[in-house]
Amino acid sequence: MHSLVNNHYRADQIERFQQREELISKLKHRFKTYGYKQIQTSAFEKYDMYATKTGIVNTEDMIKIIDASGEVLVLRPDITIPLTQWMTNKNQLTVKHDRYFYVMDVFRHVQWNEQKERTQAGIEYFGDSSPTVDAEVIALAIHTLHDCGFSDYKIEIGHAGFFKALIAQTSLSTTEITNIQRFIQSKNLAEMTAYLESLTIDEPLKTAIRNIPFLYGQPKSVINEINQYGLDNEVKAELKKLIDVYTNLQAYDLSEDIVFNLGLINDMDYYSDIIFQGFINQIGRPVVMGGRYDNLGDQFGTHIPAIGFAFDVDLLIHAASQHHLLSEPESSIDICLYYDTNTQQEAVAAAFHLRNQGYSVISFPKETSETATIQATWEIMYTENVYTAAVDNQIYQFKNFVDLQGLLQAKKENG
Amino acid sequence: MEAFTLAVAKGRTADHTIRLLEQMDIFFEDLTPSSRKLVFYNKKHTIKLIFVKAVDVPTYVEKGAADIGIAGKDNILESEADIYEILDLQIGKCKFAVAGKPGVNIDTLQSLTIATKYPTVAKKHFLRKGNNVEIVKLNGSVELAPLIGLSDVIVDIVETGNTLKENGLVVIEHVEPISTRLIINKASFAMKANHIQQFIEKLKISLEE
């Protein structure tokens, strides 16, 4: 018989859940220190919002639901889109340096590892398109990776406008452009060369497109290489923006962590300028992806320049586990407290005060101590005649709560 | 220099690869034709060579168990691994084809049953064409399927066509050419950029010789 339990959050992964929460709280903390405020949106969204905006999310991938009135809804397939729509609904005048972060799930039929549901933790910065903002956002992504304990990572920076500007000079069909994109994304030079030969494109442009996959490496050498191609002014203008961001990033002293990858093309079509993704050693997929999407707001009627990124939390935790960066979760209980009928009131009152002081306390009738095996640092007995507190195989007697506090305090101070 | 791991498919691909590497002055001392070992190092310990099953090479590379792999396009396509596919080594050339008994018209059949070792490749090909298909996944002797009525046609690798001919089958249409490729883990490409790019350059030169 098939198991009826969905595998995503398996019951035996309680430890992993603690570690996951710890990791998420690190991300949240770092986002807050850069001035971002947490927000949450509905998991249900209107299907029409995605269906009418072509090229945003493949409608086949979305998980659809029909509500009682017959309206078609989808489970949130992306976060940037609803946030942008939400921003456009706010008063336009207030959108200036608006910083938000989120920890939310996205739902799609086809996602990596067969999971329909994946958690993203990310930020969005609305209302400013200057390169200083781009640099700070990338610096935040790197800072967060560092917080998680990683030391072996690289951020690849590319530019969505670069490929778009090059391709705009050709008259290729959408299918042809998609095919070229695939070849570039997999750096499949052999097949791309043959494919380009079958298309009618001006020779210099063909050479430029063919070289995209290997415009990769140290920013300065990549820029030097591109400049040899004699590109038109529009492409040069896009590149200038990229160089500006890199110049600003130098102030953060992060040059070691950054490579340029002009062959970087994100499947999300809304990116307009700089795009980036972060890799951790041995993990073949980016744990963080982001970029600038200045024109997405226009689709909802308001122009709002914006940049953002999202960590794939599930992949990040997998990476942290591979790199042995997950600490053993604190599973132990501080105090286990036993009482009998006569001492119950005093014991639970003590438990209440101890919990207020931050100890984790569980309490049971005395008989339980004979059958259960409960792991706690302290074992405290409230019996009719005598109160005892046991720790590290030593047993102390105490008269009242003040005494007990003294014992706990002394233990804390002496380790 | 940080070492990288190279995964190579056991068998014919391995022999080709070793010869290519020797042309690049990369030698693996312990490697002999009779050796049963699966892990080898070159003299300078800059390359760790591992032998794995051909179908597993893309998986090893995608998951980062190997930085670089040498694998057939057939296995790359079937695995749908998210990796860089940097060089065509121009060896192991053959093609994916649809084959069946002479006279089968796949465009007039209402629904088509396909036997194959490569369900993903087969499904994608017929999805592109808009055919309604049912896939039967087999692990070998695929040519038998149309003969005993298990399927209408097969999707398989065709090199010389001799196996098909001997079993009374013909190629109905070509799907995609296949050859051996150099594939790279995307994170490794970023993390070990210098070492890996040097390796690619040297390999390119030795391919042109």
Side-chain angles (χ1 to χ4, degrees):
Chain A
M1 203 181 100
H2 280 294
S3 164
L4 293 174
V5 180
N6 197 334
N7 261 332
H8 186 36
Y9 295 114
R10 287 173 43 191
D12 58 358
Q13 293 189 335
I14 292 169
E15 269 197 7
R16 181 50 67 88
F17 183 75
Q18 311 307 314
Q19 293 168 328
R20 184 187 159 89
E21 282 302 295
E22 203 175 299
L23 192 78
I24 289 174
S25 72
K26 276 183 196 162
L27 302 186
K28 284 160 92 167
H29 171 74
R30 187 49 67 212
F31 296 162
K32 279 181 202 159
T33 62
Y34 279 68
Y36 290 80
K37 290 197 190 77
Q38 186 164 12
I39 49 166
Q40 173 91 31
T41 65
S42 170
F44 300 102
E45 285 165 7
K46 301 213 160 147
Y47 173 78
D48 289 344
M49 176 164 92
Y50 292 94
T52 54
K53 313 280 179 242
T54 51
I56 292 185
V57 182
N58 192 348
T59 51
E60 280 174 18
D61 294 346
M62 295 192 283
I63 300 177
K64 295 150 207 106
I65 291 163
I66 299 173
D67 77 1
S69 69
E71 188 177 19
V72 183
L73 303 172
V74 292
L75 285 177
R76 182 201 300 124
D78 181 81
I79 292 167
T80 303
I81 297 163
L83 285 187
T84 304
Q85 197 205 18
W86 176 68
M87 288 302 294
T88 56
N89 287 338
K90 290 175 61 168
N91 186 347
Q92 192 185 348
L93 295 173
T94 64
V95 180
K96 194 121 214 233
H97 309 294
D98 279 14
R99 301 161 187 237
Y100 300 104
F101 79 87
Y102 56 83
V103 180
M104 291 197 271
D105 290 347
V106 292
F107 305 89
R108 293 195 194 181
H109 280 301
V110 198
Q111 296 201 65
W112 184 61
N113 253 4
E114 313 267 308
Q115 288 175 8
K116 289 188 191 303
E117 149 185 29
R118 288 184 84 77
T119 308
Q120 292 191 353
I123 61 108
E124 312 285 354
Y125 190 137
F126 294 100
D128 191 331
S129 64
S130 52
T132 51
V133 170
D134 294 358
E136 193 195 79
V137 164
I138 293 170
L140 168 56
I142 295 175
H143 200 163
T144 314
L145 276 173
H146 189 77
D147 287 341
C148 296
F150 297 108
S151 52
D152 255 7
Y153 49 76
K154 280 274 189 292
I155 302 285
E156 291 182 354
I157 302 179
H159 197 290
F162 177 68
F163 177 69
K164 283 180 185 168
L166 273 182
I167 219 80
Q169 297 172 50
T170 67
S171 50
L172 299 174
S173 71
T174 320
T175 321
E176 288 165 340
I177 294 172
T178 311
N179 286 338
I180 295 178
Q181 275 192 19
R182 291 258 162 75
F183 292 137
I184 292 176
Q185 281 170 328
S186 59
K187 300 201 187 294
N188 188 342
L189 196 61
E191 279 175 53
M192 183 162 78
T193 307
Y195 186 70
L196 285 174
E197 286 311 313
S198 73
L199 303 172
T200 36
I201 309 173
D202 290 343
E203 209 46 55
L205 201 55
K206 206 179 260 185
T207 312
I209 294 174
R210 194 170 41 228
N211 282 311
I212 292 177
F214 293 96
L215 291 173
Y216 189 102
Q218 285 185 340
K220 278 190 190 121
S221 59
V222 171
I223 295 295
N224 286 340
E225 210 177 321
I226 298 174
N227 282 333
Q228 295 170 2
Y229 295 140
L231 301 163
D232 78 342
N233 289 333
E234 206 152 314
V235 183
K236 276 192 182 144
E238 297 295 341
L239 278 175
K240 172 75 170 55
K241 292 192 211 163
L242 187 62
I243 297 165
D244 284 347
V245 175
Y246 181 65
T247 313
N248 277 287
L249 268 170
Q250 283 171 324
Y252 290 86
D253 198 18
L254 296 170
S255 310
E256 286 288 302
D257 302 329
I258 286 162
V259 288
F260 271 10
N261 178 10
L262 270 300
L264 187 59
I265 298 172
N266 198 300
D267 283 331
M268 294 311 274
D269 204 31
Y270 50 64
Y271 290 110
S272 56
D273 293 77
I274 189 163
I275 45 175
F276 57 94
Q277 58 184 25
F279 281 105
I280 292 167
N281 199 13
Q282 303 286 301
I283 307 298
R285 296 171 55 86
V287 292
V288 58
M289 282 206 228
R292 179 163 282 290
Y293 51 99
D294 286 352
N295 306 325
L296 183 59
D298 298 357
Q299 293 209 32
F300 302 105
T302 310
H303 181 75
I304 305 174
I307 182 169
F309 66 71
F311 279 91
D312 180 337
V313 173
D314 302 271
L315 187 61
L316 193 66
I317 190 119
H318 166 73
S321 160
Q322 292 268 300
H323 286 252
H324 310 291
L325 295 171
L326 296 175
S327 50
E328 283 297 310
E330 280 191 28
S331 56
S332 66
I333 299 285
D334 295 326
I335 297 166
C336 183
L337 197 148
Y338 297 101
Y339 51 81
D340 59 27
T341 334
N342 297 316
T343 58
Q344 182 175 18
Q345 194 174 6
E346 193 179 353
V348 297
F352 177 81
H353 290 301
L354 290 169
R355 286 170 183 144
N356 266 347
Q357 290 166 14
Y359 293 103
S360 54
V361 185
I362 53 177
S363 66
F364 296 101
K366 198 176 72 186
E367 306 82 62
T368 318
S369 70
E370 287 146 24
T371 53
T373 49
I374 290 152
Q375 296 285 323
T377 314
W378 288 83
E379 191 170 287
I380 297 174
M381 287 280 190
Y382 277 79
T383 51
E384 206 168 344
N385 305 317
V386 64
Y387 299 166
T388 59
V391 63
D392 298 341
N393 297 323
Q394 279 184 305
I395 301 178
Y396 304 93
Q397 284 197 12
F398 64 95
K399 288 196 184 67
N400 51 34
F401 186 70
V402 180
D403 262 11
L404 175 60
Q405 263 188 307
L407 285 174
L408 292 168
Q409 195 58 38
K411 170 73 182 159
K412 206 184 254 175
E413 278 161 17
N414 301 327
Chain B
M1 201 183 277
E2 204 182 348
F4 66 73
T5 304
L6 172 66
V8 177
K10 281 185 277 194
R12 218 161 12 143
T13 317
D15 301 340
H16 279 298
T17 308
I18 302 307
R19 241 173 289 145
L20 252 175
L21 291 170
E22 282 174 357
Q23 282 173 35
M24 295 163 65
D25 282 330
I26 298 170
F27 294 95
F28 296 88
E29 279 185 333
D30 306 344
L31 189 63
T32 54
S34 58
S35 175
R36 292 271 184 108
K37 262 174 74 173
L38 297 172
V39 183
F40 299 91
Y41 288 91
N42 65 336
K43 275 186 197 157
K44 290 185 212 151
H45 269 251
T46 49
I47 301 174
K48 179 183 177 185
L49 176 70
I50 57 173
F51 287 117
V52 303
K53 208 167 176 231
V55 287
D56 294 335
V57 176
T59 313
Y60 272 76
V61 174
E62 184 185 32
K63 300 274 182 203
D67 300 295
I68 301 183
I70 291 178
K73 179 75 180 176
D74 49 337
N75 293 320
I76 300 170
L77 284 171
E78 185 59 28
S79 71
E80 298 187 293
D82 188 5
I83 37 116
Y84 291 136
E85 187 185 323
I86 297 220
L87 284 181
D88 186 342
L89 303 185
Q90 305 285 348
I91 49 176
K93 280 192 182 176
C94 50
K95 64 197 171 213
F96 267 127
V98 181
K101 287 196 273 191
V104 175
N105 189 341
I106 54 173
D107 294 317
T108 54
L109 281 170
Q110 279 274 314
S111 77
L112 203 56
T113 307
I114 296 149
T116 184
K117 280 193 274 184
Y118 302 91
T120 308
V121 172
K123 211 183 290 172
K124 271 197 172 165
H125 174 69
F126 285 100
L127 205 65
R128 260 199 307 267
K129 292 180 45 155
N131 290 58
N132 190 9
V133 297
E134 191 190 320
I135 308 277
V136 179
K137 157 98 188 181
L138 296 178
N139 293 302
S141 305
V142 183
E143 295 82 6
L144 200 56
L147 302 178
I148 57 171
L150 183 60
S151 73
D152 299 310
V153 290
I154 62 170
V155 168
D156 205 11
I157 296 173
V158 178
E159 208 174 337
T160 57
N162 283 344
T163 320
L164 290 180
K165 210 182 284 172
E166 282 176 28
N167 289 293
L169 301 179
V170 291
V171 170
I172 295 168
E173 65 186 4
H174 296 302
V175 178
E176 198 148 350
I178 296 170
S179 58
T180 304
R181 308 294 166 93
L182 180 79
I183 57 173
I184 300 187
N185 175 282
K186 289 192 171 181
S188 304
F189 195 83
M191 304 301 307
K192 301 174 183 173
N194 286 338
H195 192 187
I196 287 179
Q197 287 198 4
Q198 273 176 30
F199 179 79
I200 297 169
E201 285 310 314
K202 272 170 85 178
L203 188 58
K204 262 192 205 163
I205 293 166
S206 107
L207 278 175
E208 279 158 16
E209 272 168 10

